[in-house]
Amino acid sequence: MDISKQDDGGHKVDVAMTLTAPGCGMGPVIAEDAKGKVLLVPGVAAADVRITLGTTMEPVDDQRRRENEARPDLTGMLFIS
């Protein structure tokens, strides 16, 4: 994300997003929704949100990557067996 000040005093925000599924048909919809949310921020006069084809994203909640110490605590909270 880049934020730059414009001559009129407002700010332009450029956002690059990577989707978890590269072929996701919702990309343009998600980008437009994100752009609308960014434009709601006070002081933002312009926004550009684009979808990139990066493949470096990793799952946030992958059971195989959790520390063994955390498992007992998460088991009760998330109903994991």
Side-chain angles (χ1 to χ4, degrees), residues 12-47:
K12 181 178 183 207
V13 179
D14 292 301
V15 178
M17 296 175 59
T18 302
L19 300 178
T20 56
C24 178
M26 292 297 293
V29 174
I30 293 169
E32 261 320 294
D33 187 49
K35 179 179 178 178
K37 301 296 187 220
V38 170
L39 288 171
L40 292 174
V41 175
V44 174

Side-chain angles (χ1 to χ4, degrees), residues 54-76:
T55 58
T56 59
M57 290 188 67
E58 294 188 18
V60 173
D61 186 31
D62 185 347
Q63 197 169 1
R64 292 168 295 169
R65 295 177 187 263
R66 284 194 212 119
E67 300 278 336
N68 285 334
E69 304 88 56
R71 280 180 148 309
D73 294 332
L74 292 176
T75 301

